[in-house]
Amino acid sequence: MQRIASTLGLFPLPDAQRDRLADLKGHQKEDLIGGEEPPELTETYDAARERLIDDQHDAGLDRVVEGQARWDDFLAHPLCVHESVRTEGIVRYYDNNNFYREPVVTDELTESGDVAADLRKAAGLTDDLQAVLPGPYSLSALATDEYYGDRATFLDAVAEFLAGEAAAFPDAVETLYLLEPSLVTDAPESGEHERVRDAIDAVVGAVDAEVVVQGYWGTFDEALHGHLLDTDADALGYDLVTAEEAATDLVREHGTTDRVSLGVVDGQNTRVEEPAAVGDRVEAFREAASSGIDAAYLTPNTELFHLPVNKCVAKLRTLATAADPEVAR
Amino acid sequence: MTDTRSQFQPDDHENEHFLLTTVVGSYPKPTWLNRASDLHADHDHDFDDDDWAEAADDASRLITHEHERAGLDAVVDGEMRREEMVEFFAERIEGYEFNGPVKVWGHNYFDKPSVVEELEYDEPWLVDEYEFTAGVANRPVKVPITGPYTLASWSFDEAYGDEAELAYDLAELVNEEVTKLVEAGARYIQIDEPALATTPDDHAVVGECLERIVADIPEDVRVGLHVCYGDYSRIYPEVNDFPIDEFDVELANGDYEQIDVFTDPEFEPDLALGVTDAHVAEVESVEEIKENIKQGLKVVPPERLTVSPDCGLKLLPREVAYGKTANMVQAAREIEAELDAGEIDAEALRSGED
């Protein structure tokens, strides 16, 4: 089984750029990113991107993300900078001590190219580029709709919007992660499963890259998992930090995709795992699955912005070492 | 229940009724103190520890007296020596380590510490702060302490693997600190637990922490609990079982939409009610604050009502913080006079007849 070291993106800002951005942007709600930045901000974000990519190269990751330094609003970012969206008060980001601006969709969600533009810059700095987007279900759950009228239509529209964003990605993108924590924390009703499947397929169909659908803060319920296995996504992702037993039971019972993504280091705790222990965890999952697994992405279970910079970098090294064929053997 | 309140009523109090006026804790730092802090942090500069201690003393004296000038019955030094509510304590507890700032939102980061081994009490946290403030104050001093549940929740836990166990260990340390504060003369302790608002299902953990905190603390010491910005219906009526004299809440921010939460079943501790909004940079009028105070009288009788801002005022411009505090005290005194004169019928307010 091939092991591929990667992440879910959304890195903490490097020290130098964090201070610089705080000075340039300020600390209030209205100071957050708007989508079009003045040159000094663009330069600072360019420097942050370069640093984040260097850190991933130094650690030895197999897939390198842009780092998403501009994503002030976490997974809600692609909507928060959209011209058809008004941002309102600061609201809690899942069950964390983190907050984002609530995006309120007030008009048609057309393609913006915001994420693609950052990826084009990243493509000049690395091979093995991996893109990260919120999955359609999670992005629609993080937003408020004042335009499309009902939940189902809104989900379809968000999926179509994300498909447009993904279609604009540069050819260099090899892998696309769709982050779908809401599929776990705020699971769709059984009547919605097929629509969720179709929403994911809309995005998968828009890119010429391997697509991973990653849930976290728990795992998918059984019925939803079945529908996710039916999507065109190449791999499903499981959080083995918060839900190892449930995820293992799920794949023992129902099998999984040929390729999987495994959240094997804790993205929300500074304790740095031993690569050998991470390897054992991966192996145990592979053995439990009732279907064969050809390749496993090894990732943190969540985005990495929850950690201070030094621990984030240490976790990257753990993942790279655990994925090293020498260690794996 | 032991009366822990009357010790805070000034001898020359002008009215028959007494609403205890106080603040939650933090207050805007004078600009020069922030400059001094920057100089102190700059190793290339010769602004040394003694210079910083002198600046912090001066600021504490200044804000304590500012609170007295506003007329507060129980004062705080505005937490002039503290930067953040977790960091300050973690720096003083053996077993914590700092790895760098962590994002909360936008460019607001805080130094979220890691618990890397079993925690131990090392040096006193607040005794010097209390003794200094009490030494310069002409009014009783309240001591706010970040609670163990918040100290646990807002840290990375590398050592315990169980947040409740970590919180209980921290509660033992808080108990040790409160014991020392009481020996130094403190009679009013406030435990700040904002993290409970975000994970209200853990109210039993907070209750158990409080039991540990108050163990062997003399009964005449007033112990309050402050919880802000959450859905109080998820922790009430469980709060009634907590071993506290006073529960301090933020409700001005939400226009008292949640006040009815506390009317059924009957509210047992004293109520410390937020009557000015800590996140609006506009000084509410005395009249407006009086209406807010009356909201509290729906829950408890006047002799069990404490009046305070919603939360710490540190993010406001200083003149606004002072304006809110002074108007709050004036509003409380006017309500007392109206109660004395029978112009306000507290019983009717409480029974919902007014």
Side-chain angles (χ1 to χ4, degrees):
Chain A
M1 181 185 71
Q2 185 192 4
R3 296 184 183 188
I4 306 159
S6 187
T7 67
L8 309 192
L10 287 90
F11 282 54
L13 283 169
D15 294 334
Q17 284 82 38
R18 182 184 60 247
D19 292 345
R20 174 90 179 120
L21 288 166
D23 289 345
L24 287 172
K25 289 170 69 186
H27 291 278
Q28 300 305 314
K29 188 161 66 89
E30 56 272 20
D31 300 326
L32 299 191
I33 199 141
E36 283 178 27
E37 291 91 55
E40 65 270 25
L41 272 186
T42 301
E43 282 162 26
T44 313
Y45 282 119
D46 287 347
R49 180 181 307 109
E50 204 163 315
R51 177 62 196 261
L52 297 177
I53 288 176
D54 281 350
D55 283 348
Q56 294 171 84
H57 285 156
D58 290 348
L61 289 192
D62 300 309
R63 290 287 183 279
V64 173
V65 295
E66 189 266 336
Q68 294 138 303
R70 287 176 63 248
W71 291 29
D72 280 344
D73 300 288
F74 314 111
L75 290 182
H77 167 85
L79 286 183
C80 288
V81 296
H82 198 282
E83 60 182 10
S84 302
V85 172
R86 174 180 87 236
T87 54
E88 292 213 330
I90 299 288
V91 290
R92 184 171 296 281
Y93 184 64
Y94 295 99
D95 187 18
N96 298 295
N97 189 29
N98 296 108
F99 302 86
Y100 69 101
R101 292 172 297 179
E102 181 186 6
V104 181
V105 176
T106 57
D107 205 342
E108 189 181 356
L109 289 173
T110 48
E111 184 194 321
S112 80
D114 179 89
V115 180
D118 286 343
L119 287 168
R120 273 195 293 279
K121 289 183 175 179
L125 301 169
T126 185
D127 300 327
D128 312 312
L129 184 60
Q130 174 183 305
V132 175
L133 280 175
Y137 182 79
S138 296
L139 185 57
S140 64
L142 289 167
T144 299
D145 166 44
E146 284 187 0
Y147 177 74
Y148 290 98
D150 67 80
R151 195 176 151 110
T153 312
F154 186 50
L155 175 61
D156 292 349
V158 169
E160 195 183 330
F161 161 67
L162 288 171
E165 299 303 279
F169 287 175
D171 293 340
V173 171
E174 294 186 11
T175 308
L176 165 62
Y177 263 67
L178 293 179
L179 304 189
E180 283 283 23
S182 296
L183 285 180
V184 175
T185 61
D186 181 22
E189 310 277 329
S190 53
E192 289 179 288
H193 286 175
E194 289 178 5
R195 193 173 281 271
V196 168
R197 178 197 65 199
D198 294 346
I200 287 170
D201 279 344
V203 188
V204 175
V207 282
D208 184 18
E210 187 173 7
V211 180
V212 182
V213 177
Q214 184 101 7
Y216 43 104
W217 293 315
T219 199
F220 312 114
D221 68 52
E222 212 171 320
L224 175 63
H225 186 245
H227 282 94
L228 293 174
L229 289 176
D230 279 348
T231 64
D232 297 330
D234 300 278
L236 285 189
Y238 303 89
D239 177 349
L240 300 191
V241 173
T242 65
E244 184 161 23
E245 199 179 329
T248 306
D249 288 349
L250 201 57
V251 301
R252 183 182 289 122
E253 189 74 18
H254 301 286
T256 181
T257 35
D258 298 341
R259 301 167 76 81
V260 295
S261 170
L262 304 177
V264 282
V265 304
D266 193 337
Q268 296 186 277
N269 194 312
T270 46
R271 182 181 53 242
V272 179
E273 294 84 351
E274 291 296 326
V278 168
D280 291 347
R281 197 171 227 178
V282 172
E283 204 46 35
F285 186 85
R286 186 189 67 78
E287 283 174 13
S290 59
S291 59
I293 297 177
D294 299 335
Y297 284 86
L298 274 49
T299 70
N301 68 321
T302 67
E303 313 99 315
L304 284 168
F305 70 81
H306 300 282
L307 295 173
V309 169
N310 63 344
K311 296 294 180 174
C312 167
V313 169
K315 300 253 176 181
L316 299 183
R317 279 195 223 106
T318 295
L319 289 165
T321 309
D324 186 322
E326 290 301 313
V327 176
R329 194 173 299 131
Chain B
M1 203 176 193
T2 311
D3 169 30
T4 62
R5 163 184 290 258
S6 55
Q7 58 189 318
F8 302 105
Q9 179 169 342
D11 295 337
D12 59 351
H13 185 64
E14 62 203 80
N15 301 312
E16 279 297 311
H17 280 86
F18 173 60
L19 302 177
L20 172 55
T21 60
T22 187
V23 286
V24 171
S26 75
Y27 196 81
K29 292 188 171 72
T31 312
W32 56 261
L33 187 68
N34 291 324
R35 294 274 166 79
S37 173
D38 290 344
L39 291 178
H40 185 224
D42 181 354
H43 297 299
D44 296 335
H45 208 281
D46 61 1
F47 194 91
D48 63 18
D49 290 351
D50 288 343
D51 295 330
W52 167 248
E54 184 183 351
D57 282 354
D58 286 346
S60 295
R61 183 185 294 109
L62 181 74
I63 300 304
T64 302
H65 289 161
E66 192 156 313
H67 281 165
E68 290 179 340
R69 202 162 64 249
L72 291 171
D73 301 306
V75 299
V76 177
D77 75 347
E79 302 179 5
M80 290 297 114
R81 298 162 208 273
R82 312 186 199 177
E83 200 54 53
E84 289 169 343
M85 65 182 300
V86 172
E87 181 185 345
F88 177 88
F89 295 93
E91 276 173 348
R92 286 160 177 77
I93 299 172
E94 192 77 32
Y96 267 107
E97 134 187 324
F98 288 88
N99 284 291
V102 170
K103 176 168 173 159
V104 180
W105 65 278
H107 294 97
N108 297 287
Y109 278 65
F110 86 111
D111 274 325
K112 183 174 176 177
S114 299
V115 177
V116 295
E117 59 190 18
E118 198 167 319
L119 298 176
E120 283 178 34
Y121 191 91
D122 185 11
E123 49 178 330
W125 312 339
L126 298 169
V127 173
D128 287 351
E129 177 192 291
Y130 170 75
E131 286 180 337
F132 180 86
T133 310
V136 299
N138 298 304
R139 293 280 171 99
V141 172
K142 175 162 100 171
V143 185
I145 303 181
T146 303
Y149 181 74
T150 298
L151 288 173
S153 300
W154 292 359
S155 306
F156 295 110
D157 171 21
E158 296 191 26
Y160 284 73
D162 181 328
E163 192 174 81
E165 288 307 317
L166 171 57
Y168 297 151
D169 256 19
L170 280 159
E172 301 289 350
L173 306 191
V174 173
N175 169 263
E176 200 163 337
E177 180 66 18
V178 172
T179 304
K180 287 189 165 58
L181 285 163
V182 168
E183 282 166 10
R187 287 292 174 274
Y188 196 170
I189 306 288
Q190 174 186 282
I191 308 296
D192 294 329
E193 290 285 20
L196 178 59
T198 66
T199 43
D201 294 340
D202 278 350
H203 51 74
V205 177
V206 172
E208 176 59 29
C209 283
L210 288 163
E211 294 289 351
R212 291 168 192 239
I213 290 170
V214 302
D216 300 324
I217 301 299
E219 284 195 351
D220 64 336
V221 174
R222 186 170 183 80
V223 176
L225 172 69
H226 170 70
V227 179
C228 49
Y229 302 101
D231 176 357
Y232 291 109
S233 71
R234 294 181 62 188
I235 58 172
Y236 191 83
E238 287 81 358
V239 168
N240 278 343
D241 296 330
F242 290 176
I244 52 174
D245 301 294
E246 177 177 271
F247 185 47
D248 185 290
V249 298
E250 146 274 325
L251 287 181
N253 166 60
D255 286 334
Y256 299 91
E257 276 177 12
Q258 296 193 66
I259 193 76
D260 290 341
V261 166
F262 301 121
T263 55
D264 184 31
E266 197 176 326
F267 195 81
E268 290 184 19
D270 288 3
L271 174 67
L273 183 70
V275 296
T276 81
D277 192 330
H279 288 105
V280 172
E282 213 170 85
V283 177
E284 294 93 338
S285 68
V286 171
E287 280 311 311
E288 191 179 336
I289 297 173
K290 284 170 71 177
E291 289 307 309
N292 294 347
I293 294 173
K294 286 183 193 167
Q295 295 279 349
L297 293 173
K298 291 181 182 172
V299 178
V300 291
E303 61 274 17
R304 285 177 45 210
L305 183 64
T306 298
V307 169
S308 81
D310 264 356
C311 196
L313 300 176
K314 71 187 272 189
L315 295 177
L316 292 169
R318 188 165 146 208
E319 67 276 13
V320 174
Y322 181 77
K324 282 177 188 266
T325 311
N327 279 7
M328 181 185 86
V329 173
Q330 193 187 329
R333 300 290 97 101
E334 289 183 15
I335 291 280
E336 288 167 352
E338 288 169 29
L339 285 162
D340 287 357
E343 291 161 19
I344 295 174
D345 183 345
E347 214 156 299
L349 279 171
R350 209 158 64 256
S351 61
E353 288 164 16
D354 196 57

